[in-house]
Amino acid sequence: MNRLLWPRSLSGALIGLQVLAPKPQTGSETNTQQRKLQVRVRRLHSVCLSHTQMDAQPYFPVQAGVGMEENFLSLDDILLSHERLPVRIECTFPRLGFLERSSDTQDIVEGTKMELPLWLSKGLYEKKRRVLSVELPKVYREGWRTVFNADPNVVDLHKRGPYYYSLGSQMLHFESPENPDIAQTLLQTFIGRFRRTMDSSQNAYNEDTSALVERLDSLEKGLFKSGQSGLNGFQSWEKGQAGQLTASSLVLNYRKRKMADGPH
Amino acid sequence: MFCEKSTELIRDLQRVHDGQLPAFSEDGLRQVLQEMECLYEQNQSDVNEAKSEGRAELIPSIKLRHCCLLRNQRCVTAYLYDRLLRIRALRWEYGSVLPANIRFHMCAEELQWFSHYKKSLASFMRALGGGEGLDITQDMKPPKSLYIEVRCLKDHGEFEIDDGTVILLKKNSQHFLPRWKCEQLIRQGVLEHVVS
Amino acid sequence: MSDALSDDGSHEDSQEDVMTPAELIVKLEEAWLNEKFSPELMENRSEVVECVMEQLTHMEANLQRVKKGDAKASIHRMEIDRIRFVLSSYLRSRLQKIEKFFPHVLEREKSRGEGEPSLLSPEEFAFAKEYLANTETYLKAVALKRMPPNLQTVDMIKAVPQPYLDSFVFLRVKERQENILVEPETDDQREFVWSCAVDLNVEVCVLVWMAPGDHEPAEITRP
């Protein structure tokens, strides 16, 4: 009756299926190149989503949004949107000069260059009005895009990120002529790196995986974890341990903490 | 920059990975609410000035503060909601009685939420199958055998099994018991399932 | 399923199709797997749930009558345990989704048409409403009421994400289907379309792989 555990090939295929199989286009919407790419970037993020069904833990946090969207309640999205972006202020913000550390003025004047968190940049940005303009972080600019296009596997995405894909998708909110290229690079980079991530997640059993994950961005780390979870589940099933009743890991962890904290 | 405290709340919570419930940050919440009050008051004042003196140039700042207010609201809501998800998990992992050291980490309103949740769950389970009732917090894993070997991890006193027999669960004792009877005690860490 | 215990099994003398206990369990398993592997809440099958529970009661009663120590008893006991596991897992799966998508689930239920089958069983509906009320009350009491006037409400429908219907799922094809096309997106980029037919009985994965340039649609067929 153990249909709950996926054989290795399947859990790997699950990841592959999610990344690479695009949904057939429906409807007669005019697909501009950019919109198509935006839609594909969106699908990129669907990778991590269904693995939670395989999870035996009863804690199910709200997941990050897909592609260019954020989920209001997602802790990951909130932290992602805390990332700072270099911006150029295009209109004056009176009485808020104190937010800009390098000067002593009362107002933030037009023309100021400063860093603002993504959430604020998105909130203030208006397509039709010049309020602020957002500079592309270096890793999404042409120079780095060429590196990614040449060989996506060489880059340490943890260092360059750690939210390389998610932040890149968010950058598409700010109208830039480079958007189609950015979207394209994000997608191709993911596809290029994906196989190695999947492969290593399916072959590293019962070993220290820190070297394998240290250069992965957060989305890839999630994928890796998902692959490992499938692998471990399968191995456990093969050993006949799937039916073993275990103490809740929550219980065990609370107990460890209690001992560490000492008697109150 | 505004909203640093609210992001800190989120960061501290997200750091606690495995679904555990850290202590409720009453202090952190209060600071965020205070910041919101300040922002709101500044905005009220600027809005009045903009209206009465026609100072439209104040609007960008008003909008900025409003973004901050929304951000704080979002962070607080997400913080509280994620904690509820962890508390929910406690009902499924621990049962309906929580140990003191965990209750200690919950604020009064969370304890109330938990109490309502478990009542609601109990009503649901009782009503299943036209009133027959089924405890779906049991049978968490596919059953492989009727009886299992268990080792007692701590003293738990007397334990009655179906045919009236009473077993003494003393630390380190081993027993061969009906699986379904042991399930809850294993989850709670009182017994350990010994697999040969 | 053993016939010995199912003698007084289906005692329904309704005009509807009378299911054998074996068929009932197959229906339960199907509902269970569909629920487990679908990203959104499926239609409720409370008639199956009720019948299974009745069945379990019968089996328990029969088991009491069997002589202690009879070898059959343990086999039947196992059977009861296994069915109960599937049933519990099915109900848990549904409850998880109800909690996860609670504002949307309630909205779907509210806006369904007259003749449409209901998404939630009566017990689930009550539970979902209580969950919503409990959560909203909590958020208001602990924080929202202490916020500035125009920020004291959070629209749960907007805040709680909807089920992601673009998730990929595994399918098992029960009968040969003609004319199901799995088309690749026409694009300059290299792309692969994988479709997967899984035979759950033997847990084997059959991948149908279309490379770009093959414009022949593939049929999803059972091996």
Side-chain angles (χ1 to χ4, degrees), chain C residues 146-213:
Chain C
R146 295 154 75 184
M147 291 190 182
N150 60 335
L151 287 148
Q152 288 188 359
T153 45
V154 170
D155 184 356
M156 293 315 274
I157 291 197
K158 293 213 187 98
V160 176
Q162 291 206 16
Y164 186 59
L165 297 180
D166 278 351
S167 309
F168 290 92
V169 293
F170 286 95
L171 307 174
R172 177 170 176 269
V173 181
K174 294 166 75 170
E175 283 172 7
R176 190 185 174 86
Q177 300 288 318
E178 307 290 330
N179 304 320
I180 305 277
L181 302 184
V182 180
E183 282 182 38
E185 258 183 15
T186 44
D187 213 319
D188 310 295
Q189 313 300 322
R190 293 178 60 208
E191 274 210 279
F192 303 102
V193 176
W194 293 22
S195 61
C196 187
V198 179
D199 183 338
L200 290 170
N201 285 325
V202 298
E203 296 181 270
V204 156
C205 174
V206 173
L207 299 175
V208 173
W209 178 13
M210 273 172 59

Side-chain angles (χ1 to χ4, degrees), chain A:
Chain A
M1 266 229 189
N2 257 331
R3 292 168 183 174
L4 305 175
L5 297 169
W6 294 98
R8 234 160 123 157
S9 55
L10 270 185
S11 73
L14 173 69
I15 298 170
L17 186 72
Q18 300 219 310
V19 172
L20 301 176
K23 195 173 91 172
Q25 289 292 316
T26 53
S28 54
E29 59 244 26
T30 37
N31 279 319
T32 63
Q33 178 74 335
Q34 181 166 337
R35 176 168 158 67
K36 245 184 157 184
L37 286 167
Q38 285 175 3
V39 167
R40 287 167 66 193
V41 168
R42 186 188 156 83
R43 284 193 204 115
L44 193 75
H45 286 244
S46 75
V47 198
C48 286
L49 292 177
S50 7
H51 78 271
T52 53
Q53 286 172 346
M54 297 197 268
D55 230 339
Q57 292 307 313
Y59 165 61
F60 307 110
V62 175
Q63 288 147 335
V66 170
M68 286 172 66
E69 282 149 32
E70 288 186 52
N71 279 337
F72 184 82
L73 295 170
S74 159
L75 303 188
D76 289 331
D77 274 344
I78 291 174
L79 290 176
L80 162 70
S81 54
H82 190 68
E83 292 283 302
R84 298 180 102 72
L85 298 174
V87 306
R88 185 180 185 280
I89 304 292
E90 306 284 0
C91 76
T92 303
F93 287 84
R95 301 176 180 167
L96 292 175
F98 60 90
L99 290 177
E100 208 250 307
R101 271 170 257 160
S102 63
S103 81
D104 255 336
T105 55
Q106 196 183 26
D107 310 331
I108 307 179
V109 297
E110 182 181 328
T112 308
K113 289 200 169 189
M114 61 189 291
E115 280 195 334
L116 288 184
L118 174 67
W119 60 265
L120 190 53
S121 310
K122 275 171 82 171
L124 291 173
Y125 181 81
E126 284 180 52
K127 289 182 197 172
K128 301 216 170 89
R129 208 181 300 181
R130 282 162 44 98
V131 180
L132 50 73
S133 56
V134 178
E135 254 179 59
L136 266 186
K138 288 202 202 88
V139 74
Y140 304 109
R141 287 191 223 155
E142 191 169 354
W144 270 103
R145 291 205 302 268
T146 315
V147 174
F148 282 110
N149 291 335
D151 183 357
N153 283 297
V154 299
V155 191
D156 181 341
L157 279 190
H158 181 73
K159 192 157 149 217
R160 292 288 143 206
Y163 297 110
Y164 172 71
Y165 300 107
S166 318
L167 186 61
S169 307
Q170 290 298 314
M171 293 313 297
L172 300 176
H173 281 292
F174 308 110
E175 311 262 281
S176 154
E178 293 182 74
N179 278 0
D181 294 321
I182 298 170
Q184 188 66 11
T185 303
L186 287 174
L187 204 57
Q188 292 304 319
T189 303
F190 185 88
I191 292 174
R193 289 169 62 97
F194 157 78
R195 231 171 220 112
R196 242 181 238 194
T197 310
M198 173 175 147
D199 216 31
S200 59
S201 82
Q202 295 299 289
N203 289 299
Y205 181 61
N206 229 8
E207 40 182 89
D208 179 10
T209 52
S210 46
L212 293 165
V213 300
E214 66 189 359
R215 299 168 88 247
L216 300 180
D217 120 304
S218 70
L219 177 71
E220 290 169 341
K221 279 202 177 96
L223 259 187
F224 184 86
K225 198 167 144 204
S226 175
Q228 286 271 280
S229 156
L231 176 63
N232 290 331
F234 177 68
Q235 293 296 340
S236 153
W237 176 70
E238 260 201 334
K239 291 184 194 167
Q241 279 170 6
Q244 182 178 24
L245 300 171
T246 49
S248 132
S249 61
L250 270 185
V251 170
L252 291 176
N253 285 328
Y254 279 115
R255 194 167 294 160
K256 275 191 221 152
R257 265 227 332 248
K258 192 174 175 189
M259 298 200 307
D261 290 346
H264 289 291

Side-chain angles (χ1 to χ4, degrees), chain B residues 73 88 117 120 136 139, chain C residues 77 84 92 99 130 151:
Chain B
Q73 188 206 47
R88 179 257 181 209
Y117 178 74
S120 191
I136 60 173
D139 302 303
Chain C
R77 173 94 247 159
R84 207 177 55 239
R92 275 196 295 266
E99 291 180 22
E130 286 164 17
L151 287 148

Side-chain angles (χ1 to χ4, degrees), chain C residues 114-147:
Chain C
E114 269 299 307
E116 280 170 43
S118 95
L119 182 65
L120 303 170
S121 69
E123 307 85 58
E124 287 171 343
F125 185 58
F127 179 84
K129 280 197 300 191
E130 286 164 17
Y131 193 84
L132 172 73
N134 195 13
T135 304
E136 284 188 329
T137 304
Y138 162 76
L139 289 172
K140 200 190 224 151
V142 77
L144 291 178
K145 72 165 189 238
R146 295 154 75 184
M147 291 190 182

